[in-house]
Amino acid sequence: MKIATAQLDAGVTHLDRRRSEIASAVTEAASLGCSLVVLPELALSGYGAGTLISKNAQELSGADVTWLKALSAQTGCGIVCGLALKREGQVYNTALFTAPDGTVIAYDKIHLYGDYEQTLFKRGAASPPVFTFGGLTFGLLVCFDVEFPERVRGLALRGADAVLVPTALPKSDGGAFIAQSVIPVRAFENQVFIAYANHCGKDAMFCYQGQSSIAAPDGQRLAQAPATDPALLAAELDPGAYAACRQQNPYLEEVRLCFDRSA
């Protein structure tokens, strides 16, 4: 399967313009033969929109999700998009998967980063989902989640071939290390693909690291975006191509063996 990650310009803050940028990225990915596109964290509202994020948050039946479902059906692409969702009066930082057939899967971010997110959102309570699409098995995380080894390991042990991660990684020395080193290490140590979609540029509150990527089970980057500019990355995910790597580095098999012995 061919997938894409879309790195978006955080300076585009108007909703209609953000929708236009998203639609253009998904349409271009479809034209390249991609079956799935990963967009950044809070891609519809913008990450740095502050209290407007929670004020404008909608329910699963709202206009934002309806629009994403229509875009998925129109382009034939599965879409993973970060947005704020409201349920029972609480607002969550959510990664939403929409498929062309109307399937919707939502994951609420568990690890909220700093006072900014903890003020705006309620922490997710459910485990990250694993689902099948186009013959591969995928897991969902959001930004800070992927920096916890156990989150990716948990998805890998549940059968994920790839982990899809909308993010809003800020620009810093630590951000550069996460983008350049942590993401490929997470892919290698779990023998999975990781698609990591970030913002670039800046909004009213934050500057972003860019450097979105698609990492392979051998730790190599199949595609890498620059630090400063919007980009659409595309790569082929073929788990069978990494059988030798998995045999050489049987981390998951060893973990399963240890679990079996301790049961």
Side-chain angles (χ1 to χ4, degrees):
M1 176 193 287
K2 194 173 185 181
I3 74 165
T5 61
Q7 181 165 292
L8 301 181
D9 182 359
V12 177
T13 57
H14 191 277
L15 175 60
D16 288 342
R17 284 193 61 200
R18 292 194 72 81
R19 282 190 175 186
S20 178
E21 293 289 318
I22 289 169
S24 294
V26 176
T27 301
E28 182 180 353
S31 74
L32 295 173
C34 296
S35 300
L36 188 149
V37 185
V38 185
L39 300 160
E41 182 178 11
L42 298 171
L44 276 174
S45 63
Y47 182 81
T51 56
L52 287 175
I53 297 172
S54 49
K55 179 181 178 181
N56 295 328
Q58 301 172 8
E59 296 188 356
L60 200 60
S61 59
D64 286 344
V65 175
T66 299
W67 181 79
L68 286 168
K69 289 171 66 176
L71 180 61
S72 180
Q74 175 187 340
T75 59
C77 271
I79 300 171
V80 174
C81 183
L83 75 167
L85 281 184
K86 183 184 292 185
R87 287 190 302 282
E88 299 179 348
Q90 301 287 346
V91 179
Y92 297 87
N93 184 340
T94 301
L96 189 82
F97 168 73
T98 56
D101 66 0
T103 298
V104 173
I105 297 170
Y107 162 67
D108 302 323
K109 186 176 184 179
I110 292 174
H111 297 289
L112 299 177
Y113 183 74
D115 291 342
Y116 178 73
E117 289 189 17
Q118 292 170 25
T119 299
L120 291 174
F121 303 110
K122 183 176 176 60
R123 191 183 302 272
S127 297
V130 172
F131 61 94
T132 300
F133 176 71
L136 294 183
T137 302
F138 295 96
L140 289 179
L141 294 174
V142 179
C143 195
F144 197 33
D145 292 332
V146 79
E147 297 169 38
F148 292 80
E150 46 275 274
R151 293 299 173 198
V152 183
R153 176 58 51 85
L155 290 169
L157 287 171
R158 291 163 60 199
D161 298 303
V163 179
L164 311 175
V165 189
T167 189
L169 183 69
K171 185 176 182 180
S172 67
D173 290 343
F177 179 78
I178 290 164
Q180 296 166 14
S181 299
V182 172
I183 298 306
V185 166
R186 288 288 173 274
F188 181 83
E189 69 190 2
N190 294 290
Q191 296 293 293
V192 296
F193 298 91
I194 296 182
Y196 189 71
N198 197 18
H199 303 270
C200 62
K202 62 182 180 179
D203 54 31
M205 296 187 70
F206 302 101
C207 294
Y208 300 91
Q209 188 66 43
Q211 295 186 310
S212 302
S213 64
I214 302 173
D218 63 358
Q220 300 299 308
R221 296 182 188 86
L222 300 179
Q224 173 80 56
T228 55
D229 299 313
L232 183 73
L233 310 177
E236 192 76 34
L237 304 192
D238 178 7
Y242 297 91
C245 183
R246 291 192 177 98
Q247 185 174 10
Q248 185 178 6
N249 305 290
Y251 303 126
L252 298 182
E253 179 182 347
E254 182 65 18
V255 170
R256 290 190 181 102
L257 284 171
C258 288
F259 281 170
D260 289 344
R261 289 170 184 167
S262 63

